[in-house]
Amino acid sequence: QDQLVESGGGSVQAGGSLRLSCAASEYVYTSYCMGWFRQAPGKEREGVAHIDMFGSTTYADILKGRFTISKDDAKNTLYLQMNSLKPEDTAMYYCAARVCGGRVPVLSSYGVDYWGKGTLVTISS
């Protein structure tokens, strides 16, 4: 059984918007803190945003102001609203869950306990 399932990816032109969703199992959603990562072709996976159980958020500096992470506790679902998209945002986007309050930086891919399979975002110029 997949614990994290992403959706919402697609192809849009630069300047457009997309909202990604991640449906989590109840166990993962209620037991872990969650975030988004992305991996562009030929590049390492990088942290995008993280949200803890209290709704406190952390963003990659280069994405602040354009991306917004949120969650709906009633639906066990994580979201990533992406605005003013640029071609360099093209990547596979992954939902991730990790133990809350660990010592590893929350935007590090190290220490993630669960990964989704990803959803592809393609931005054309």
Side-chain angles (χ1 to χ4, degrees), residues 1-2 4-6 45 92-95 115-119:
Q1 178 185 359
D2 292 330
L4 300 171
V5 180
E6 302 96 334
R45 193 169 296 190
M92 187 72 81
Y93 283 71
Y94 297 92
C95 181
W115 291 101
K117 289 184 170 61
T119 186

Side-chain angles (χ1 to χ4, degrees), residues 47-49 58-64 107:
V48 172
T58 304
Y59 294 94
D61 287 342
I62 60 171
L63 299 174
K64 280 183 181 177
L107 295 183

Side-chain angles (χ1 to χ4, degrees), residues 18-41:
L18 281 173
R19 188 176 81 155
L20 306 183
S21 299
C22 172
S25 68
E26 183 170 0
Y27 166 70
V28 170
Y29 190 88
T30 58
S31 304
Y32 294 82
C33 288
M34 298 177 67
W36 290 96
F37 290 75
R38 70 183 185 182
Q39 188 166 18

